[in-house]
Every structure is written in C-alpha cells, then in structure tokens.
Amino acid sequence: MVDLDLLPDYVELPDSDPSGRADFGSIDFERLPNTRDLGGLHGADGLRVRPGMLLRSGLLGIASEADLVRLRDEYRLALVVDFRNDVELSEQPDPMRELPDARYVHADIITERVQGITQEAASRERARSGGKLEWRQMMAIFYPHLLLEEDGVAGYRSFFRALLACEDGAALWHCSVGRDRCGMGSMLVECALGVDEAEIEADYLATNLFAPLQLTIDAPAARTSLAAVREALAREWGGVMGYITGALGVTDGEIRDLRRRYLA
C-alpha cells in the first residue's frame, strides 16, 4: 500500500471495504503492486466470491520470477486477458512463456476517441502536461466510451467469452495500471456476480491505494468516472446488467454459470 501521507488531497480513497476483506484483496506479490483478488466480495444470494479465482492487475511484464511462480503454481493461472493496445504490448509484453498453462487473450478496447488513458510513452507525456482537474473532467467524459464504442463492446465481449470458457484455474485481467480498462472490466464481472454498488466502488477506488504512486498522482481513479459509466449504461442499456446481457450478449444462463463457478 502507498504511503497515504504522500497522496494529494484530490485523490479519492474508499472509506472502508464493505466486504470486510483485508487490504481490499491485495496480494503481497514482490513486484505487482496493484494485483488484487476479488475473493470475499459479497455476491448474489448471500454468497461470496471464491478466493483465488478472479484476479485484477496492472502490468504483468514487471513481475518477479517469484511472482510468476506463485501465479503459475499457487493460483494455477489458466487465463490472462490483456486490455492494452498494440503499442503498449510491444513496449512491455506479457511474460506468457513463464505461464505455459495460461491462455492469453488480447482484448484491446481503445479507440482513437479515447486516446490518452493508455500507458504507452506518448500518452504518459501528454498526461503530464495537463492539470488534475482537466484529467478528472476528461475521464468523466471518456470513461463511457470505453464500454460503448465498438472496440470496447468487442473487447469486453471477448473478455466475458474467455472467462466463461475458463473452467479450471484462476483468471486474471489487466491493463497497464489496473485502474481504467481493468477497472471497468472488474466492475462488469462484479455486477454479473451480484456485487452491490458500494463494494464495486470501494474496489475501484482501492486502486489509488495500491497502484504506483506517481501514476495515481497523475490520474487517480475518481467517483465521477464510475458515476459517468453508470449513467451512460443506464441511458443506453437500462443499466450495467442490461449492457452485459444486451451489448455483450451474455445470456441469463451464462450469468448463472458464472455465479455457480465463482460464488460460494
């Protein structure tokens, strides 16, 4: 966890974890600071998400050898879904040779209309040149496009199809920081499993506690971004579940399958 005294006042933090999890599910990897387990979140029918099955993360390419051994042997990692774009992949590819039993799925969801939130070198430089207020406003405008643009729908649909096909072992999804693209993927999975809005919001904001400090200072997760997504999906699809079943084509039966697999 980052030193809270180093975080500026504009960085929003979750008040607490309504699920009662320790450290918001953070896993004590050596070099993967924002890799967290969804296990313990409250889901549908009074059940909780099974631990060690659904992992959200930032860059995998910075993992230590010990981190990769844990993912392979302790978590039996079976699926890696990468939300980054082609430039990010070329700059920092995933270490899939060290995870031979894991299927790799590239689900790029970025269109030209939402450039600037990616973490390739050029985008990082653009972000540094803008103020924090401007970034917060831009994210509130562009977050809905992550899900509603054609590439976003296709990418998150591929994510769910891969998750539904992962019948044994853990699934991990990531972008570069584990905040925006990964955060929206996490929100969708959590909603599909019946996690309520308070726990989804706390899990989203917890990125500000665990992501690398400078990346949080430059562009923290914000409640306004999550609220903008909820409003847009309510307007276009009747809500987040309407988006999952309508835009992404996940059936009611597949929702039940996910809940049977990941809730206990």
Side-chain angles (χ1 to χ4, degrees), residues 107-261:
D108 182 4
I109 62 169
I110 293 295
T111 68
E112 291 184 1
R113 295 181 62 179
V114 282
Q115 285 180 350
I117 71 162
T118 52
Q119 289 295 317
E120 70 269 21
S123 287
R124 290 196 299 268
E125 186 57 36
R126 285 196 298 270
R128 291 190 188 100
S129 66
K132 303 303 179 297
L133 179 61
E134 288 79 2
W135 180 273
R136 190 184 301 271
Q137 292 172 334
M138 185 175 74
M139 290 298 96
I141 293 171
F142 285 125
Y143 251 60
H145 290 291
L146 291 174
L147 292 94
L148 293 174
E149 294 290 333
E150 181 178 347
D151 287 352
V153 171
Y156 286 123
R157 183 184 295 131
S158 295
F159 172 42
F160 267 87
R161 297 262 70 84
L163 195 59
L164 285 160
C166 182
E167 297 183 353
D168 187 39
L172 180 150
W173 54 93
H174 76 97
C175 52
S176 289
V177 181
R179 177 185 57 227
D180 306 311
R181 294 163 287 181
C182 170
M184 293 302 94
S186 302
M187 179 270 292
L188 292 172
V189 170
E190 290 160 4
C191 183
L193 295 177
V195 179
D196 69 25
E197 290 188 1
E199 291 192 24
I200 291 173
E201 180 180 282
D203 184 59
Y204 168 67
L205 290 177
T207 288
N208 293 339
L209 294 169
F210 298 103
L213 177 63
Q214 190 57 52
L215 295 176
T216 295
I217 290 174
D218 286 345
R223 288 182 173 89
T224 51
S225 300
L226 190 57
V229 166
R230 287 172 174 158
E231 291 170 6
L233 297 188
R235 182 176 61 251
E236 299 293 331
W237 291 97
V240 181
M241 282 301 298
Y243 173 82
I244 293 170
T245 58
L248 304 188
V250 181
T251 68
D252 291 341
E254 288 170 334
I255 295 291
R256 289 193 293 272
D257 288 343
L258 288 174
R259 293 180 177 182
R260 279 194 293 266
R261 189 181 307 169

Side-chain angles (χ1 to χ4, degrees), residues 22-34:
D23 294 330
F24 297 89
S26 178
I27 305 171
D28 60 341
F29 287 119
E30 291 180 349
R31 295 184 58 190
L32 297 174
N34 193 28

